[in-house]
Structures are given as C-alpha cells and as structure tokens.
Amino acid sequence: MFNGPIQCELVMDCVSKITSFQLFMNFIRYYPIAGVAFLLFYLWKKDYFEPFRIQKVYPKMDKVWKEFRQSAVTLIVFTLVATTNIILMKMKILPSHVYFGAVEGLAGWSYIVMSFVMLTIWHETWFYWMHRFAHLKKVYPWVHSEHHMSVNPSPLAAYRFQITEAFLESIYLVIFVTLVPMHFGVLIFHTFYAMILNIWWHLGYEFFPKGWASHPITKWINTSTHHNQHHQKFQGNYSLYFNVWDRIMGTNFPNYEAYYAEVTSNRAEKLHDKGHKVLILEGNPAER
C-alpha cells in the first residue's frame, strides 16, 4: 500500500520522482475540482443556483483569472515544501514519523482515526493563529494581501496566496509529522479533505440550513458565509473548519449569526418565488 516514489532511495532520480509526484498530486487535485466548481456555479448552472449566492454580484473574469494564475504559484510552493521535507527526512536531518503499509486490527484503525482527529485539531489551531498573525498591520502586505485581493472570491481563490503565505499554509504538516506518528494514507486524505473545504469556503454560495450558525451544536462548525464575510470585512472570522477559536477569542464578526440568517432567509424567499426544487440540508430535504 502506498509504495510510491516517496519510498525510493535518495539519489537524483529519487528526488526527481518525489518532485514530479508532489507536483502531479497538487495540480491534478486542485484545478479539476476548483475548475468544475467554477464551471457549475458560475457558468453552466449560474441562474439555477443564484438564490444560494452569498454576495449577489459575481466577481469579474479578470479577477478570477488572477486567482487561477496565483493558485499555480501556491501549488509550486506546496510541492517545494513537501519535497524538501521528504529529502531532509531521508537525509536524517529532520525526524519522520510517517509510516506505510497495511493497517491491521482495532488498535491500528483506532490510531488512524485518532491521528486524523489530532491533525485536524492541530491544523485548525495553526491556521487560526497564523491567520491572525497574517492580518497584523506590518505583516499583512508581505503575507496575506494577495489573498484578500479577492473580496468577492470564487472557488479558484482558495489557493490565491503569495509565496510567504503558501509557505506558512504548508509547514504545519512538516511540524506535525516530525512529532507524531502518521500513516501516509492519513496524510493524503487530510490534504484532500482540507483542499475540498477550502474550495467550499471560497465557493461564494451557502447551502447549509437556516439556523446553522446559531444552533447550540452546529454553530461550532464553520460555513461558507463565515469565510465569505471575512473576505468582505477582513478583521474577523479567522477560523477554518470549526468556529471554536473565533468564539473563544471573540473574533467572530458581531453580526455573523444575523448575517447568516439574512443570507439563508433571502435564499428561501428566492427559491419560493422561482418555484425551485433544490436539495439542501434543511429539516425538509427539499425547498420549493
């Protein structure tokens, strides 16, 4: 299982294989998924899904093209960080706790689940505090300003980072695997899962049900509206998967829950007016 180029002997051919593998994995996952999301929601079914729009104005195509191009820079940085990390680990300069092979028994699978949860918590914590750091006045122009050129983001804005931010966005994994044993399959799944959610948060559409942002349970899970509001207003709503750090630190925008209620109420009215039949996550599985 997972006997790829990452396990080759450290020679020039191995370095080439590692780099090619990382580059292929990054590009072949991101552009097709973000591209299909853009084609579906911004071109092909644009009118059909319009009631679900968070911002009613659509981004201009020249801005989307800039998102597309800058994402390539980010993917190259991700590749370089991963390749350098693997080489340093093979050279025994950095410790590595990544392991391969079949997972057996209850203990093996229990650790798979536990390590994924640990990585998710670590990523959430790293992202929140790194994100707040990136918004400091003296840091922002050098780290985060490129990403916020997308005030009205499309799914292709998910990886619109300048080089410095792309580096900071990727090294949390390097830190984690130097300290915690992690199956290679969990790493692959995590990076895929993180990318999907990042694209979703930048989609520009809200599909979660009414009341999600204020419900005692679901309010701890972020929404597309939460991150979209961050792009509109900048200084707040810093968290990633969950709404835990923002709530603990008081950095949600004060009107986040009200804004979410407004977005979903407008959606319900438009769906009713248009007579749409669209599956969403409401108490009733279909809104008309």
Side-chain angles (χ1 to χ4, degrees), residues 213-284:
S214 55
H215 188 276
I217 296 175
T218 57
K219 71 178 183 180
W220 300 101
I221 302 171
N222 268 343
T223 65
S224 187
T225 300
H226 182 271
H227 195 69
N228 194 279
Q229 190 179 32
H230 172 75
H231 274 263
Q232 296 177 55
K233 301 181 69 175
F234 292 65
Q235 298 293 344
N237 291 20
Y238 298 111
S239 53
L240 182 61
Y241 307 115
F242 305 104
N243 200 226
V244 176
W245 279 113
D246 271 322
R247 290 186 182 276
I248 291 174
M249 301 306 298
T251 49
N252 274 332
F253 287 113
N255 70 329
Y256 163 55
E257 293 182 10
Y259 181 57
Y260 182 89
E262 178 186 344
V263 168
T264 52
S265 293
N266 290 341
R267 176 185 69 195
E269 291 174 8
K270 288 190 175 184
L271 287 172
H272 181 269
D273 291 343
K274 290 189 175 186
H276 272 0
K277 185 178 181 181
V278 181
L279 292 179
I280 60 173
L281 300 172
E282 297 286 2
N284 183 337

Side-chain angles (χ1 to χ4, degrees), residues 20 22 30 33 55 61 76 79 93 97 106 109 123 157 164 169 174 186 216 222 231 235 242 254 262 269 287:
S20 299
Q22 292 292 331
Y30 177 72
I33 295 174
Q55 298 187 48
M61 286 304 297
I76 291 170
T79 298
I93 295 175
H97 291 91
L106 179 61
W109 282 106
H123 188 199
T164 47
E169 291 275 359
V174 177
V186 175
N222 268 343
H231 274 263
Q235 298 293 344
F242 305 104
E262 178 186 344
E269 291 174 8
E287 272 197 15

